[in-house]
Amino acid sequence: MQRPSAVNESPLSVAEREKLEAQYSEIATLAGGLAHEIKNPLSTMSMNLELLTEDLETLDVPSRHRMLKKVESVQRECKHLQEILDAFLQFARVGKLALTTANLNSLVSDFIDFFRPQANEACIEISPHFDADLPAVQIDPALFRQVLMNLALNVVQAMPDGGLIELQTSHRDGTVYLDIIDNGKGIDEKVKSRMFDAFFSTKAGGSGLGLPTVKKIVDAHHGTIECDSEPGRGTRFTISFPVC
């Protein structure tokens, strides 16, 4: 599997970029506010459902079990909506970066230490390959950790019977690269063409915001993310960041 080639696009002028960032900031603020307004009554509904469940459990009527099942069904839907709203708020908040000069090797290594217990539980081996002379980049460590987590969770879901994740860093021509490679089930062209679209998901109950959030974070760093995958042959995500 070869690293996907970057797509050449005309660079935006400073004025165009500032205008787009201002428009995005306004939309993100409105969307985030709306999500918060929905979360508040949803939390109240969830709390009242818990109280209703407690009341039903004290009843001694033939229909108690059936009523509890119905309430539990509504509780599951409320929890699902809560997860979607949380993912959406995370998606909407991406924009302002807390940049620091960092070495990608260190950030990736720290993440591997954090994620390894979960990988072990899923019977997934992690194999890092770091470029010893990797230049530093300007990056928001917390948001980059979010990128790694979202991609790693995708990999775990793609390998339900276990497998291998390789994380490789490299650099050339003023750009630092991180390749995340798995030997999972792969992705077909139809899904690959839409994987970064907001709310698109192939998973039952998925929010469809994990990979779009990853792309937004990478874009905010003026980086790129590409995917190379074939069904049955695994997947390679390549992320690039400009050198400081």
Side-chain angles (χ1 to χ4, degrees):
M1 189 181 297
Q2 296 182 346
R3 176 178 292 151
S5 57
V7 178
N8 291 323
E9 297 179 351
S10 300
L12 295 174
S13 68
V14 174
E16 288 172 330
R17 182 177 293 279
E18 288 178 349
K19 182 180 179 181
L20 286 173
E21 287 177 351
Q23 290 173 341
Y24 163 73
S25 180
E26 182 179 2
I27 293 170
T29 300
L30 290 171
L34 177 61
H36 272 297
E37 289 301 316
I38 296 172
K39 282 189 71 171
N40 291 334
L42 185 61
S43 296
T44 303
M45 288 168 59
S46 298
M47 188 179 302
N48 277 282
L49 284 168
E50 288 181 14
L51 294 173
L52 180 58
T53 300
E54 292 175 5
D55 290 342
L56 287 173
E57 287 174 345
T58 64
L59 293 180
D60 187 15
V61 295
S63 59
R64 180 175 71 92
H65 183 71
R66 187 172 68 253
M67 288 189 289
L68 277 170
K69 285 287 186 182
K70 291 178 179 178
V71 171
E72 288 169 1
S73 177
V74 177
Q75 283 179 309
R76 284 195 297 272
E77 291 305 312
C78 283
K79 182 180 179 182
H80 183 215
L81 286 172
Q82 185 79 41
E83 290 170 350
I84 291 174
L85 285 170
D86 288 342
F88 178 76
L89 283 170
Q90 191 178 61
F91 178 74
R93 286 171 182 151
V94 177
K96 296 292 184 181
L97 305 180
L99 293 174
T100 185
T101 301
N103 186 290
L104 223 59
N105 289 345
S106 297
L107 297 178
V108 174
S109 180
D110 288 345
F111 174 76
I112 290 173
D113 290 341
F114 169 78
F115 190 73
R116 195 180 295 278
Q118 189 169 348
N120 290 341
E121 188 175 344
C123 298
I124 291 174
E125 180 186 352
I126 302 176
S127 178
H129 305 277
F130 294 152
D131 182 340
D133 299 318
L134 202 68
V137 295
Q138 284 284 304
I139 200 163
D140 183 319
L143 288 179
F144 182 62
R145 169 67 71 93
Q146 188 179 331
V147 165
L148 294 175
M149 178 59 75
N150 284 355
L151 289 175
L153 291 176
N154 258 2
V155 169
V156 169
Q157 291 164 353
M159 298 191 294
D161 299 320
L164 173 69
I165 305 176
E166 295 182 70
L167 294 103
Q168 303 175 355
T169 60
S170 59
H171 77 282
R172 70 173 187 274
D173 302 327
T175 302
V176 166
Y177 294 92
L178 169 64
D179 290 305
I180 301 173
I181 308 163
D182 70 62
N183 62 351
K185 57 188 178 182
I187 306 167
D188 63 38
E189 283 298 327
K190 184 178 179 181
V191 172
K192 194 165 66 170
S193 68
R194 297 196 59 196
M195 66 188 343
F196 295 118
D197 293 349
F199 302 111
F200 173 77
S201 178
T202 59
K203 291 169 273 191
S207 69
L209 290 171
L211 288 177
T213 300
V214 166
K215 189 174 188 310
K216 282 188 70 174
I217 292 172
V218 173
D219 287 347
H221 285 83
H222 308 303
T224 65
I225 179 167
E226 303 286 343
C227 177
D228 181 26
S229 184
E230 291 180 32
R233 297 191 60 186
T235 300
R236 178 198 294 262
F237 282 99
T238 299
I239 300 171
S240 71
F241 296 112
V243 171
C244 292

Short mmCIF file of all heavy atoms in Angstrom, two decimals, residues 219-243:
data_model
loop_
_atom_site.label_atom_id
_atom_site.label_comp_id
_atom_site.label_asym_id
_atom_site.label_seq_id
_atom_site.Cartn_x
_atom_site.Cartn_y
_atom_site.Cartn_z
N ASP A 219 -7.08 20.21 9.26
CA ASP A 219 -7.21 21.41 8.42
C ASP A 219 -6.86 22.67 9.21
O ASP A 219 -6.21 23.58 8.68
CB ASP A 219 -8.64 21.54 7.89
CG ASP A 219 -8.96 20.53 6.79
OD1 ASP A 219 -8.01 19.89 6.28
OD2 ASP A 219 -10.14 20.37 6.46
N ALA A 220 -7.29 22.72 10.47
CA ALA A 220 -7.01 23.90 11.30
C ALA A 220 -5.52 24.09 11.53
O ALA A 220 -5.06 25.21 11.76
CB ALA A 220 -7.74 23.78 12.65
N HIS A 221 -4.75 23.01 11.44
CA HIS A 221 -3.29 23.08 11.56
C HIS A 221 -2.62 23.31 10.20
O HIS A 221 -1.40 23.23 10.09
CB HIS A 221 -2.74 21.78 12.15
CG HIS A 221 -2.97 21.61 13.62
ND1 HIS A 221 -4.15 21.15 14.16
CD2 HIS A 221 -2.15 21.86 14.68
CE1 HIS A 221 -4.05 21.10 15.48
NE2 HIS A 221 -2.85 21.53 15.82
N HIS A 222 -3.43 23.60 9.16
CA HIS A 222 -2.91 23.75 7.79
C HIS A 222 -2.22 22.48 7.31
O HIS A 222 -1.25 22.53 6.55
CB HIS A 222 -1.96 24.95 7.68
CG HIS A 222 -2.55 26.22 8.22
ND1 HIS A 222 -3.72 26.76 7.75
CD2 HIS A 222 -2.12 27.05 9.21
CE1 HIS A 222 -3.99 27.88 8.42
NE2 HIS A 222 -3.04 28.07 9.32
N GLY A 223 -2.73 21.33 7.80
CA GLY A 223 -2.20 20.05 7.39
C GLY A 223 -3.12 19.36 6.41
O GLY A 223 -4.10 19.94 5.92
N THR A 224 -2.83 18.11 6.11
CA THR A 224 -3.66 17.31 5.21
C THR A 224 -3.86 15.93 5.82
O THR A 224 -3.05 15.46 6.62
CB THR A 224 -3.02 17.14 3.81
OG1 THR A 224 -1.81 16.37 3.94
CG2 THR A 224 -2.72 18.48 3.18
N ILE A 225 -4.95 15.28 5.42
CA ILE A 225 -5.16 13.88 5.78
C ILE A 225 -5.67 13.16 4.54
O ILE A 225 -6.57 13.65 3.85
CB ILE A 225 -6.14 13.72 6.97
CG1 ILE A 225 -6.34 12.22 7.27
CG2 ILE A 225 -7.47 14.41 6.71
CD1 ILE A 225 -7.02 11.95 8.60
N GLU A 226 -5.05 12.04 4.24
CA GLU A 226 -5.41 11.23 3.08
C GLU A 226 -5.64 9.79 3.54
O GLU A 226 -5.10 9.35 4.56
CB GLU A 226 -4.29 11.25 2.03
CG GLU A 226 -3.90 12.64 1.55
CD GLU A 226 -4.92 13.27 0.63
OE1 GLU A 226 -5.77 12.51 0.09
OE2 GLU A 226 -4.89 14.48 0.44
N CYS A 227 -6.45 9.07 2.77
CA CYS A 227 -6.73 7.68 3.10
C CYS A 227 -6.50 6.80 1.89
O CYS A 227 -6.95 7.13 0.78
CB CYS A 227 -8.19 7.53 3.58
SG CYS A 227 -8.67 5.82 3.93
N ASP A 228 -5.78 5.71 2.10
CA ASP A 228 -5.56 4.70 1.05
C ASP A 228 -6.06 3.38 1.61
O ASP A 228 -5.56 2.92 2.66
CB ASP A 228 -4.08 4.63 0.69
CG ASP A 228 -3.81 3.61 -0.41
OD1 ASP A 228 -4.74 3.35 -1.20
OD2 ASP A 228 -2.69 3.09 -0.48
N SER A 229 -7.04 2.77 0.95
CA SER A 229 -7.62 1.55 1.50
C SER A 229 -8.29 0.73 0.40
O SER A 229 -8.79 1.29 -0.58
CB SER A 229 -8.64 1.88 2.59
OG SER A 229 -9.13 0.71 3.20
N GLU A 230 -8.30 -0.57 0.62
CA GLU A 230 -9.03 -1.49 -0.25
C GLU A 230 -9.65 -2.57 0.63
O GLU A 230 -9.05 -3.00 1.62
CB GLU A 230 -8.09 -2.16 -1.26
CG GLU A 230 -7.52 -1.25 -2.32
CD GLU A 230 -6.61 -2.00 -3.27
OE1 GLU A 230 -6.87 -3.21 -3.51
OE2 GLU A 230 -5.64 -1.40 -3.76
N PRO A 231 -10.86 -3.00 0.29
CA PRO A 231 -11.49 -4.08 1.08
C PRO A 231 -10.58 -5.31 1.15
O PRO A 231 -10.05 -5.77 0.14
CB PRO A 231 -12.78 -4.39 0.30
CG PRO A 231 -13.11 -3.10 -0.40
CD PRO A 231 -11.78 -2.50 -0.76
N GLY A 232 -10.36 -5.80 2.36
CA GLY A 232 -9.54 -6.98 2.56
C GLY A 232 -8.05 -6.73 2.60
O GLY A 232 -7.27 -7.66 2.83
N ARG A 233 -7.62 -5.46 2.41
CA ARG A 233 -6.17 -5.18 2.36
C ARG A 233 -5.73 -4.13 3.38
O ARG A 233 -4.62 -3.64 3.32
CB ARG A 233 -5.77 -4.73 0.96
CG ARG A 233 -5.99 -5.80 -0.10
CD ARG A 233 -5.35 -5.41 -1.41
NE ARG A 233 -3.90 -5.23 -1.28
CZ ARG A 233 -3.12 -4.78 -2.25
NH1 ARG A 233 -3.66 -4.43 -3.42
NH2 ARG A 233 -1.83 -4.64 -2.07
N GLY A 234 -6.60 -3.77 4.31
CA GLY A 234 -6.22 -2.81 5.33
C GLY A 234 -6.37 -1.37 4.89
O GLY A 234 -6.82 -1.09 3.78
N THR A 235 -5.95 -0.48 5.78
CA THR A 235 -6.13 0.95 5.55
C THR A 235 -4.91 1.72 6.02
O THR A 235 -4.29 1.37 7.03
CB THR A 235 -7.37 1.46 6.31
OG1 THR A 235 -8.53 0.76 5.85
CG2 THR A 235 -7.58 2.96 6.12
N ARG A 236 -4.56 2.75 5.27
CA ARG A 236 -3.49 3.67 5.67
C ARG A 236 -4.05 5.09 5.68
O ARG A 236 -4.54 5.60 4.67
CB ARG A 236 -2.32 3.62 4.69
CG ARG A 236 -1.20 4.62 5.04
CD ARG A 236 -0.26 4.88 3.85
NE ARG A 236 0.48 3.70 3.47
CZ ARG A 236 1.74 3.44 3.86
NH1 ARG A 236 2.39 4.30 4.61
NH2 ARG A 236 2.34 2.34 3.47
N PHE A 237 -4.00 5.74 6.85
CA PHE A 237 -4.26 7.17 6.94
C PHE A 237 -2.92 7.89 7.00
O PHE A 237 -2.04 7.51 7.78
CB PHE A 237 -5.06 7.50 8.20
CG PHE A 237 -6.54 7.19 8.10
CD1 PHE A 237 -7.05 6.03 8.63
CD2 PHE A 237 -7.40 8.07 7.43
CE1 PHE A 237 -8.40 5.73 8.54
CE2 PHE A 237 -8.75 7.78 7.33
CZ PHE A 237 -9.26 6.62 7.88
N THR A 238 -2.75 8.90 6.17
CA THR A 238 -1.53 9.71 6.17
C THR A 238 -1.88 11.13 6.54
O THR A 238 -2.66 11.79 5.84
CB THR A 238 -0.86 9.68 4.77
OG1 THR A 238 -0.51 8.34 4.44
CG2 THR A 238 0.41 10.53 4.78
N ILE A 239 -1.29 11.59 7.63
CA ILE A 239 -1.50 12.97 8.11
C ILE A 239 -0.20 13.73 7.91
O ILE A 239 0.89 13.20 8.18
CB ILE A 239 -1.87 12.97 9.60
CG1 ILE A 239 -3.17 12.17 9.83
CG2 ILE A 239 -2.05 14.41 10.10
CD1 ILE A 239 -3.47 11.96 11.29
N SER A 240 -0.29 14.95 7.44
CA SER A 240 0.91 15.77 7.26
C SER A 240 0.73 17.12 7.94
O SER A 240 -0.38 17.66 7.99
CB SER A 240 1.21 15.97 5.78
OG SER A 240 0.27 16.85 5.19
N PHE A 241 1.83 17.65 8.48
CA PHE A 241 1.86 18.98 9.09
C PHE A 241 3.09 19.72 8.57
O PHE A 241 4.16 19.12 8.41
CB PHE A 241 1.94 18.89 10.62
CG PHE A 241 0.75 18.26 11.27
CD1 PHE A 241 0.86 17.02 11.90
CD2 PHE A 241 -0.48 18.89 11.27
CE1 PHE A 241 -0.22 16.44 12.51
CE2 PHE A 241 -1.58 18.32 11.89
CZ PHE A 241 -1.44 17.10 12.50
N PRO A 242 2.98 21.03 8.36
CA PRO A 242 4.16 21.79 7.95
C PRO A 242 5.17 21.90 9.09
O PRO A 242 4.80 22.02 10.25
CB PRO A 242 3.58 23.16 7.57
CG PRO A 242 2.28 23.26 8.30
CD PRO A 242 1.76 21.87 8.41
N VAL A 243 6.44 21.85 8.73
CA VAL A 243 7.51 22.02 9.72
C VAL A 243 7.52 23.48 10.19
O VAL A 243 7.16 24.40 9.46
CB VAL A 243 8.87 21.64 9.07
CG1 VAL A 243 10.04 22.01 9.98
CG2 VAL A 243 8.90 20.16 8.73
#
